[in-house]
Amino acid sequence: MQVQDTPEEWQVVATTTPFKGAKTSVRTDDVVMPDGTVARRDYQVHPGSVAVLALDDQDQVLLLKQYRHPVRQKLWEIPAGLLDVPGENPLHAAQRELYEEAHVKAEDWRVLADVYTTPGGCDEAVRIFFARDLSDMEGERFEVADEEADMELARVPLAELARGVLTGELHNNCLVVGVLSVLAARAGDGLDALRPAEAPWPARPFEA
């Protein structure tokens, strides 16, 4: 493919970490620009995330609605979560999130898309998985807390979600990318041509 992102790293002459949180931090780098000047760049350092677009046999997507304080909205989202352990296999993390948030498992897993959520101000990388052949997990549900204790679950037709994205009614990054990517895959080489679930991910290297 002629158009593709390429690795590159400009020289950093100084760096500080003015804030450290429970999961993320803020870093300040002094970066040498192409003309030799130095510019200061602040950005959030993030461990990375996974998300799952789970599609059932009725062409419905498994969704949850969750309060997101920074934007002061309840957003419809696909199951997602942090890569809590450095080097963690993202497939295992995605399977865990699907279980914890929806009490569902899937037999068929593939990579749908790899994205940087906000590359101008955060280094978060997200791998969005496509999952199908769904079934309910056995046993008790995973105990949730905080915002997750107020979550709503639903299954919504893929076509309805596509309309919601294009009319500006749905805003979650992973939901938007996931829905449009499934439609693009279907219109192209088909869902079976998606990358395997353990395809390499240079943004967040992992052990199989």
Side-chain angles (χ1 to χ4, degrees):
M1 184 174 175
Q2 296 274 335
V3 180
Q4 58 183 318
D5 300 332
T6 55
E8 185 165 347
E9 188 168 352
W10 293 0
Q11 182 184 5
V12 175
V13 294
T15 185
T16 59
T17 304
F19 170 79
K20 288 186 178 180
K23 298 292 184 180
T24 66
S25 60
V26 173
R27 183 175 296 162
T28 299
D29 288 344
D30 291 340
V31 186
V32 179
M33 298 289 108
D35 64 359
T37 61
V38 175
R40 180 156 291 177
R41 295 290 179 261
D42 302 316
Y43 59 99
Q44 183 183 19
V45 178
H46 194 285
S49 307
V50 292
V52 186
L53 192 140
L55 190 68
D56 67 18
D57 56 8
Q58 296 181 24
D59 215 38
Q60 298 180 119
V61 178
L62 195 156
L63 297 183
L64 52 92
K65 194 174 190 181
Q66 185 172 347
Y67 176 65
R68 294 301 188 183
H69 187 71
V71 296
R72 307 301 199 272
Q73 290 193 36
K74 274 191 169 182
L75 301 180
W76 283 108
E77 306 178 350
I78 56 178
L82 296 175
L83 289 169
D84 293 312
V85 180
E88 181 179 16
N89 188 310
L91 173 60
H92 300 166
Q95 291 170 331
R96 180 186 68 236
E97 294 300 330
L98 188 61
Y99 155 65
E100 291 182 356
E101 295 190 342
H103 203 64
V104 165
K105 63 181 178 179
E107 298 301 323
D108 186 7
W109 289 83
R110 299 168 192 270
V111 174
L112 188 55
D114 296 327
V115 297
Y116 292 114
T117 55
T118 48
C122 179
D123 71 351
E124 181 183 12
V126 180
R127 169 156 281 188
I128 304 174
F129 288 90
F130 175 68
R132 57 185 172 181
D133 297 338
L134 309 182
S135 60
D136 292 333
M137 294 287 288
E138 298 178 356
E140 296 183 3
R141 296 184 66 91
F142 181 80
E143 186 174 345
V144 296
D146 300 327
E147 290 93 341
E148 293 182 352
D150 189 49
M151 286 193 310
E152 303 173 45
L153 293 174
R155 296 194 183 203
V156 181
L158 181 66
E160 183 177 332
L161 294 178
R163 286 192 294 270
V165 168
L166 298 178
T167 58
E169 296 173 325
L170 298 170
H171 307 92
N172 175 263
N173 180 289
C174 292
L175 172 62
V176 170
V177 172
V179 167
L180 299 184
S181 294
V182 167
L183 294 176
R186 279 182 171 173
D189 295 331
L191 294 170
D192 290 335
L194 290 170
R195 285 174 290 163
E198 300 210 33
W201 189 18
R204 293 294 185 274
F206 63 92
E207 295 182 6

